[in-house]
Amino acid sequence: MIRRLLTHLVLLPTPTTSSFAFPISTTMPPCYRRSARLQGQPPSTSTSTALPQKRSSNSTTSNEYNSMTVVELKDMLKKRGLPVSGIKSDLIDRLTSSSSSNVLDATTSAASNKPKRVKASMTSSKSSSAAADSYCLPRTREHQLQSKQPSSSSLIVIGVDEAGRGPLAGPVVAAAAIVPTNISGIIDSKQITKEEERERLYEELVASPNIQYAVAIVSAQRIDEINILQATLEGMRMAVEGVLGIRTSSGGNNVASAKRTEVSYIVTGGRRQEEPTNNNTDTITSYHALIDGNKIPKEMPCEAESVIKGDGREYSIGAASIIAKVTRDRLMHEYDTMYPEYNLSQHKGYPTVAHMSAVSKFGASPIHRRTFAPLKHWEFDKDGKIIGDKKAK
């Protein structure tokens, strides 16, 4: 029996690319090609000559696919309605085996532009400061609102944003600003990682023609009284009132300072924007506030709307975010000299590991928010020292 089987095996034809054996090429379904690779069969380039002449250009496309990232490959597959699972080689196989010529053309174009994008990215990384200086946020919503105004009226847009909702210590600061001048580099303050760059833009903003701004400082004490959300909204309303001249600095003190003991107060800057001059004495000037976030403070002194992620979308909100951020950072530097054990200049009151370690060791200062975790779970004596854990009871 064994001898007869051996005789039959010897008579069987040797597998070739034209017989029953699949070559590892782009003509094989992806699932088979993956199985073949796992079995150690040779790569697809070994049988590329067996492909029809009209498909020979796909070898170049395959090479271009190899230079692309997995994310880019998956994006191409999604456009074709094909599965995006598998390792990179599976994605390439799936793309190469597709016969959609228009998608292939688009893919080739995208792949051929890949080195240019990388080069541009490298260039921008070497001159990031120059790129930031050459760009500022648009005034899309502002222009939309102004374009709807009748000729007998004038609309001035106020940008509103806050800084310091998340920290364990220090105030929350809200700013409202009217900035008629476009200044290069005005973007969301959170995207400006260098403090000196934020300071430079702040100085340009407050010195720009016809700027008008107000900053509300709401203390940790007030935050603990009404919660951080309500304190933020209250500060936003106060800042807008300051811009409109409805609210003024208390006692003639128009400086934000860590030495001030008010629960909340405002400071204002710039000068009142001149009313538009024309021959029509009946022109009415109105104001509209664009507020970062998804909530509008109650009892606003003018029309207002919320703009989700507005600090990265609208120029006026981005400008307000920089004013609020720099004002708060300066306050935290002052607080650092008053409470040096917490190193507030470094983390600005945010709950870093070093900050939490300092609180555990020294207790809470007068500017710490006692309603924020983990402080709200601890008991303190009159000096701020931790004397117990509420959760243990």
Side-chain angles (χ1 to χ4, degrees):
M1 176 66 71
I2 293 174
R3 188 173 301 172
R4 281 200 301 271
L5 286 173
L6 289 175
T7 303
H8 283 296
L9 287 174
V10 172
L11 294 176
L12 286 173
T14 303
T16 66
T17 57
S18 60
S19 61
F20 62 86
F22 279 114
I24 313 303
S25 71
T26 57
T27 59
M28 184 190 296
C31 56
Y32 287 102
R33 287 197 296 279
R34 186 175 185 186
S35 299
R37 282 196 305 275
L38 294 174
Q39 295 171 13
Q41 296 191 28
S44 59
T45 54
S46 62
T47 58
S48 59
T49 55
L51 294 173
Q53 187 63 32
K54 65 179 181 179
R55 297 287 301 278
S56 61
S57 61
N58 284 354
S59 59
T60 302
T61 304
S62 298
N63 292 334
E64 290 167 343
Y65 286 146
N66 285 324
S67 67
M68 299 173 70
T69 65
V70 171
V71 173
E72 290 172 324
L73 293 171
K74 287 185 177 182
D75 286 340
M76 296 297 173
L77 286 166
K78 288 178 181 178
K79 291 178 180 179
R80 298 192 191 188
L82 296 173
V84 296
S85 60
I87 60 178
K88 183 176 182 179
S89 56
D90 293 333
L91 306 181
I92 294 173
D93 289 340
R94 217 167 286 146
L95 284 166
T96 308
S97 61
S98 175
S99 60
S100 179
S101 59
N102 58 337
V103 178
L104 280 173
D105 292 339
T107 305
T108 305
S109 175
S112 62
N113 289 332
K114 174 71 174 177
K116 294 182 181 179
R117 290 201 300 272
V118 173
K119 185 176 181 180
S121 176
M122 293 174 63
T123 303
S124 63
S125 65
K126 293 179 181 178
S127 57
S128 57
S129 59
D133 288 343
S134 63
Y135 171 79
C136 67
L137 291 171
R139 298 176 183 262
T140 306
R141 183 56 180 158
E142 179 177 347
H143 290 160
Q144 288 176 350
L145 291 168
Q146 291 172 341
S147 67
K148 297 177 181 178
Q149 296 300 304
S151 58
S152 60
S153 65
S154 173
L155 181 70
I156 297 175
V157 171
I158 306 170
V160 186
D161 199 7
E162 54 74 28
R165 288 187 64 177
L168 295 178
V172 61
V173 175
I178 300 171
V179 191
T181 306
N182 284 336
I183 299 174
S184 296
I186 299 300
I187 57 175
D188 177 9
S189 64
K190 294 188 290 295
Q191 303 300 320
I192 306 172
T193 56
K194 293 184 178 180
E195 189 169 348
E196 57 269 23
E197 181 66 12
R198 293 193 298 269
E199 285 280 348
R200 181 186 68 79
L201 290 169
Y202 173 90
E203 294 298 338
E204 285 192 42
L205 277 168
V206 299
S208 62
N210 291 326
I211 186 175
Q212 186 181 335
Y213 68 94
V215 180
I217 293 88
V218 184
S219 67
Q221 178 185 346
R222 183 61 173 165
I223 293 171
D224 287 341
E225 287 176 359
I226 62 176
N227 76 49
I228 184 59
L229 173 60
Q230 296 306 318
T232 301
L233 296 176
E234 181 178 85
M236 288 177 166
R237 186 186 69 251
M238 290 171 59
V240 174
E241 291 172 346
V243 167
L244 297 179
I246 298 173
R247 183 185 292 265
T248 58
S249 303
S250 59
N253 188 354
N254 198 34
V255 178
S257 171
K259 296 179 181 179
R260 296 185 66 163
T261 58
E262 298 102 316
V263 172
S264 58
Y265 62 93
I266 68 165
V267 296
T268 59
R271 62 186 179 90
R272 295 286 298 167
Q273 188 168 354
E274 298 178 359
E275 301 293 338
T277 58
N278 52 42
N279 296 328
N280 187 356
T281 57
D282 296 329
T283 298
I284 301 173
T285 300
S286 58
Y287 296 87
H288 191 103
L290 297 178
I291 302 173
D292 181 56
N294 61 356
K295 297 185 182 298
I296 302 174
K298 296 179 181 179
E299 301 177 356
M300 285 290 289
C302 65
E303 293 294 324
E305 66 181 83
S306 60
V307 183
I308 297 174
K309 297 184 179 179
D311 49 6
R313 296 169 57 187
E314 281 291 325
Y315 179 87
S316 61
I317 302 178
S321 77
I322 292 174
I323 294 173
K325 174 64 175 172
V326 171
T327 300
R328 187 179 188 280
D329 283 355
R330 290 179 176 182
L331 286 172
M332 297 311 293
H333 283 294
E334 290 186 41
Y335 282 124
D336 184 59
T337 63
M338 299 170 63
Y339 310 106
E341 62 270 27
Y342 300 101
N343 197 19
L344 296 170
S345 288
Q346 182 66 33
H347 50 70
K348 307 299 188 297
Y350 282 88
T352 63
V353 174
H355 187 191
M356 294 307 305
S357 176
V359 171
S360 298
K361 182 177 181 181
F362 301 108
S365 73
I367 66 166
H368 275 91
R369 305 172 184 178
R370 306 297 179 92
T371 55
F372 276 43
L375 277 71
K376 68 179 181 180
H377 302 303
W378 298 336
E379 291 182 349
F380 302 90
D381 62 15
K382 60 183 180 64
D383 297 322
K385 301 295 183 182
I386 300 173
I387 58 175
D389 190 338
K390 296 177 182 178
K391 293 189 297 183
K393 295 182 178 181

